[in-house]
């Protein structure tokens, strides 16, 4: 299902998040105070706007309050990042994710209400975009621009069925390369493996196929 996102700050991290979210078929609004950066993003997202995220009324007028998730990737300007986060939370954005440059800034952003804070050196923008656009994906490893490995909880409708019965590769275009259950990992599980409630599927496939494979 298509979702809507606002990404604030078009540095390397914010750009990668916004581009990937858009590539995955979502509505993406990007905001930055630098006109050149905004212009470069215009053909890559739904809408690109020159604006100051410290102004709550500006965010309101741009429709930020109707977005499913906001990513604040302003960078080293902690004060601006905090104000933008507070504005987005006041507007009622369900999930606000912030970029931080170190643990101290991470703690500060968490204290003002950020739902999640990432440090780019540990988590790439592509991985973040893949994870937040699909609520069913527990973890994601990027293998290339178009392909990755995702951990996905077994859908309830699959409980008790074998891999042979589900025919996942033919129906969904992805490959089950391992299954986690009861604290163990089965690599290359057999076709007669029956899925249970607490099993987690380790799936290899293209990003668009993985995004559509939801619980």
């Amino acid at each position: 299902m298509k979702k809507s996102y606002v990404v604030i700050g078009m540095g390397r991290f914010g750009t990668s998040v916004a581009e990937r979210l858009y590539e995955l078929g979502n509505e993406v609004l990007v905001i930055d105070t630098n006109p050149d950066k905004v212009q470069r993003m215009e053909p890559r997202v739904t809408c690109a706007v020159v604006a100051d995220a410290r102004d709550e009324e500006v965010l309101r007028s741009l429709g930020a309050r109707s977005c499913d998730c906001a990513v604040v990737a302003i960078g080293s300007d902690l004060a601006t990042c905090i104000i933008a986060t507070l504005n987005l939370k006041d507007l009622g954005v369900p999930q606000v994710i912030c970029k931080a440059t170190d643990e101290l800034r991470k703690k500060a952003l968490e204290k003002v209400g950020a739902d999640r804070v990432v440090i780019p050196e540990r988590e790439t923008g592509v991985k973040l975009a893949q994870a937040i656009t699909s609520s069913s994906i527990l973890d994601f490893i990027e293998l290339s621009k178009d392909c990755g490995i995702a951990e996905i909880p077994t859908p309830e409708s699959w409980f008790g069925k074998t891999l042979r019965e589900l025919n996942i590769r033919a129906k969904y275009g992805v490959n089950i390369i391992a299954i986690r259950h009861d604290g163990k990992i089965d690599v290359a599980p057999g076709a007669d493996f029956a899925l249970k409630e607490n099993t987690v599927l380790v799936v290899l496939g293209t990003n668009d196929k993985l995004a559509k494979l939801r619980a």
Side-chain angles (χ1 to χ4, degrees), residues 19-194:
E19 289 180 343
R20 178 61 75 186
L21 288 172
Y22 186 67
E23 288 171 0
L24 291 170
N26 300 288
E27 298 286 339
V28 181
L29 163 67
V30 300
I31 298 172
D32 199 285
T33 56
N34 186 317
D36 292 335
K37 292 182 178 180
V38 170
Q39 185 176 16
R40 284 197 296 270
M41 291 301 295
E42 285 179 350
R44 305 177 186 178
V45 294
T46 308
C47 182
V49 180
V50 177
D52 189 344
R54 293 174 297 182
D55 190 329
E56 184 176 339
E57 289 306 312
V58 168
L59 292 176
R60 188 189 306 274
S61 68
L62 292 173
R65 67 185 305 172
S66 64
C67 290
D68 297 296
C69 177
V71 178
V72 182
I74 294 173
S76 59
D77 189 345
L78 179 60
T80 299
C81 196
I82 287 175
I83 295 171
T85 300
L86 290 171
N87 286 341
L88 292 163
K89 296 302 291 186
D90 286 343
L91 288 173
V93 177
Q95 185 179 30
V96 179
I97 300 173
C98 296
K99 167 192 171 183
T101 55
D102 54 44
E103 286 294 334
L104 184 61
R105 294 168 192 266
K106 180 176 183 290
K107 290 180 180 178
L109 290 164
E110 288 172 340
K111 285 186 179 296
V112 299
D115 298 288
R116 180 177 176 182
V117 182
V118 298
I119 299 176
E121 288 74 12
R122 301 178 187 175
E123 183 167 4
T124 68
V126 169
K127 179 178 178 179
L128 174 62
Q130 185 75 34
I132 66 179
T133 197
S134 179
S135 59
S136 65
I137 291 181
L138 303 178
D139 196 13
F140 178 77
I141 300 173
E142 182 189 17
L143 299 179
S144 69
K145 180 180 179 181
D146 303 311
C147 179
I149 297 173
E151 289 191 356
I152 303 174
T154 299
E156 186 175 352
S157 60
W158 293 4
F159 292 170
K161 296 181 180 179
T162 66
L163 296 178
R164 188 191 308 278
E165 291 173 314
L166 293 168
N167 201 13
I168 294 170
R169 182 176 182 180
K171 290 182 179 178
Y172 301 96
V174 299
N175 292 289
I176 305 296
I177 59 175
I179 291 178
R180 287 200 291 111
H181 64 105
D182 300 329
K184 301 177 182 178
I185 297 180
D186 283 343
V187 179
D192 294 323
F193 186 97

